[in-house]
Amino acid sequence: MVKICCIGAGYVGGPTMAVIALKCPEVEVAVVDIAAPRINAWNSEHLPIYEPGLDDVVKECRGRNLFFSTDVEKHVAEADIVFVSVNTPTKTQGLGAGKAADLTYWESAARMIADVSKSDKIVVEKSTVPVKTAEAIERILTHNRKGINFTILSNPEFLAEGTAIKDLFNPDRVLIGGRETPEGQKAIHTLRDVYAHWVPLDRIICTNLWSAELSKLAANAFLAQRISSVNAMSALCEATGADVAQVSHAIGTDSRIGPKFLNASVGFGGSCFQKDILNLVYICECNGLPEVANYWKQVIKVNDYQKARFVNRVVSSMFNTVSGKKIAVLGFAFKKDTGDTRETPAIDVCKGLLGDKAKLSIYDPQVSEEQILKDLAMKKFDWDHPAHLQPTSPTTSNKQVSVVWDAYEALKDAHGICIMTEWDEFKNLDYKRVFDNMQKPAFLFDGRNVVDVKKLREIGFIVFSIGKPLDAWLKDMPAVA
Ligand code: NAI
């Protein structure tokens, strides 16, 4: 029986391995992590991450050929294929701080693999890493190998949170990079055979190591760039009276452009886009390509601009101050169908409003109070480090913030509403009831363009919707102070 071990039981390691276990019943899959609470949760009725369809997959395989364990060394020692899916955060200190990927967790995983291995292994990079990481990892492994052969592959993950199971069942492509040596090619075939249980061979792309590593960074950079492009257009639409939804539709019908990823919003979030672009920027700078680096940096700058523009819109519309006013924040996750808050635009928007002394009442159907308060207390980039390395008491009681478990509770007596996540339930709220229970004038700022603007204006709301023709009230207000 082929044995697979995955180091890192996070958003990628957990769902990816669960699907491999489901589709390959003859393969034994162990997912290991140093974080005991995470492993306990994977072994419980309440999985540590929310992902539609994940519960069913885990229930079917757990205890059969899928195991979650903190016994990292044992499972690594026994495995034929070791996936490494640990976090690769942005460095917060030292050389490359704020840009380069911090490979501390990756390196310690590689050293541990070298220490405990007693048989040949294929080591698979699942984490997103800088180009040429495989080379560095290979050096660590072969330096300490004690006569054991390690073959390294790059197999970056393209799943999107919120649709992870769907994406894993039916991926656009699986990418496997390996060395162009006989051992490298043999390892590629072994991993390809695992995916071939359910992925058609023509969707399994095999490349060299560096192409696979760079393709992942490039894919995220291109996706984020589309969002920043449409968001840049949204500012121009507001200034001119064009409607960004109509512009997106018109350009998206061009088959060369395509319709996906053209929704204007308050900005992109998630653990990957910003981190991976910063990483790409750093690699370009290190390779003497400042023009290329600056090009990609701009994608992040527009994203930051979009969040700042949103905050300024809120404050300037509400008579230039939100001090002491109750603002209901609907949604905190970085997108719907996930409880993940890493780099969510809600953090920057909430911090901006708190800076202007607003009182926030926050509701998200999947994010806990503890997580929200922690996120609002944390410094940039701290979020992507393991819990034991994060600030110890981030939940200092914050009188300006309350987190509630019901949208109507958040909205009661509010002066304004900010929609931060496109959860379906926000489309279907009883907005007449909401309006009747709010302070007047009642403002709604839709950061995800989910509400029916016309209907809400008829009820009496003053509505701001990203990239849409402005409410008469907002026309003379500056978009960015
Ligand atoms: P995560 O933070 O949810 O999970 C990483 C896990 O690794 C944590 O539970 C941590 O405790 C564990 N870990 C760290 N060092 C360890 C060690 N030495 N031994 C055992 N466990 C260790 O991260 P996530 O979101 O799963 O991302 C993992 C990688 O996949 C990152 O490089 C990310 O860029 C990449 N990725 C993430 C995607 C996403 O949607 N979240 C999509 C595609 C790639």
Side-chain angles (χ1 to χ4, degrees), residues 24 67 98 113 126 162 186 193 199 225 228 233 236 241 246 273 308 341 343 370 373-374 420 447 451 460 465 467-468:
C24 311
F67 304 93
I113 296 171
K126 197 53 152 167
K186 193 170 157 225
D193 288 347
V199 181
Q225 180 217 43
S228 279
M233 280 302 157
L236 187 58
Q246 293 175 353
F273 281 176
T341 60
E343 283 295 325
E370 189 195 359
L373 294 179
K374 203 164 154 186
M420 292 288 101
V451 299
S465 218
K468 303 275 185 153

Side-chain angles (χ1 to χ4, degrees), residues 52-311:
L54 177 64
D55 278 27
D56 293 341
V57 178
V58 171
K59 266 186 202 138
E60 189 165 340
C61 317
R62 197 172 52 192
R64 181 188 76 186
N65 65 331
L66 175 67
F67 304 93
F68 295 94
S69 168
T70 48
D71 199 345
V72 182
E73 300 189 355
K74 170 180 173 281
H75 288 286
V76 169
E78 289 174 355
D80 306 294
I81 305 175
V82 180
F83 284 82
V84 184
S85 185
V86 300
N87 28 344
T88 48
T90 306
K91 272 183 93 169
T92 49
Q93 289 176 349
L95 190 67
K99 275 185 281 193
D102 183 345
L103 294 178
T104 315
Y105 309 111
W106 229 114
E107 186 178 332
S108 78
R111 285 184 190 281
M112 185 270 300
I113 296 171
D115 282 350
V116 305
S117 292
K118 295 188 181 64
S119 57
D120 294 354
K121 295 196 190 316
I122 296 173
V123 178
V124 185
E125 283 181 347
K126 197 53 152 167
S127 305
T128 306
V129 291
V131 187
K132 300 259 173 182
T133 298
E135 196 166 75
I137 299 302
E138 211 167 44
R139 281 204 199 122
I140 294 173
L141 290 170
T142 48
H143 242 76
N144 304 292
R145 73 177 159 160
K146 301 173 272 184
I148 294 161
N149 292 314
F150 295 105
T151 314
I152 190 141
L153 296 177
S154 165
N155 173 221
E157 185 49 58
F158 293 99
L159 67 80
E161 283 175 37
T163 53
I165 297 300
K166 203 166 122 253
D167 297 344
L168 288 165
F169 277 3
N170 189 21
D172 288 339
R173 78 315 207 176
V174 166
L175 181 57
I176 305 175
R179 284 223 178 259
E180 282 144 338
T181 56
E183 302 78 52
Q185 294 303 304
K186 193 170 157 225
I188 287 180
H189 283 120
T190 305
L191 187 57
R192 196 186 62 178
D193 288 347
V194 172
Y195 285 108
H197 280 74
W198 78 98
V199 181
L201 279 183
D202 62 358
R203 282 201 231 158
I204 304 180
I205 302 172
C206 300
T207 66
N208 72 30
L209 276 173
W210 326 133
S211 301
E213 288 180 342
L214 183 56
S215 297
K216 175 62 193 177
L217 294 184
N220 273 352
F222 273 59
L223 289 170
Q225 180 217 43
R226 273 177 84 97
I227 299 176
S228 279
S229 295
V230 76
N231 282 345
M233 280 302 157
S234 75
L236 187 58
C237 287
E238 288 162 32
T240 57
D243 181 331
V244 75
Q246 293 175 353
V247 174
S248 292
H249 178 67
I251 61 174
T253 50
D254 185 327
S255 59
R256 293 167 302 176
I257 296 174
K260 293 187 181 162
F261 261 66
L262 285 181
N263 288 333
S265 70
V266 61
F268 60 74
S271 68
C272 295
F273 281 176
Q274 171 159 308
K275 159 174 88 71
D276 293 349
I277 294 177
L278 287 171
N279 194 348
L280 188 65
V281 165
Y282 184 67
I283 295 169
C284 293
E285 285 172 353
C286 291
N287 281 283
L289 301 169
E291 288 79 4
V292 185
N294 287 337
Y295 174 77
W296 289 112
K297 239 186 242 171
Q298 206 56 33
V299 172
I300 292 177
K301 281 193 183 164
V302 168
N303 199 46
D304 288 339
Y305 164 75
Q306 190 75 345
K307 290 180 273 188
R309 209 167 72 75
F310 188 85
V311 173

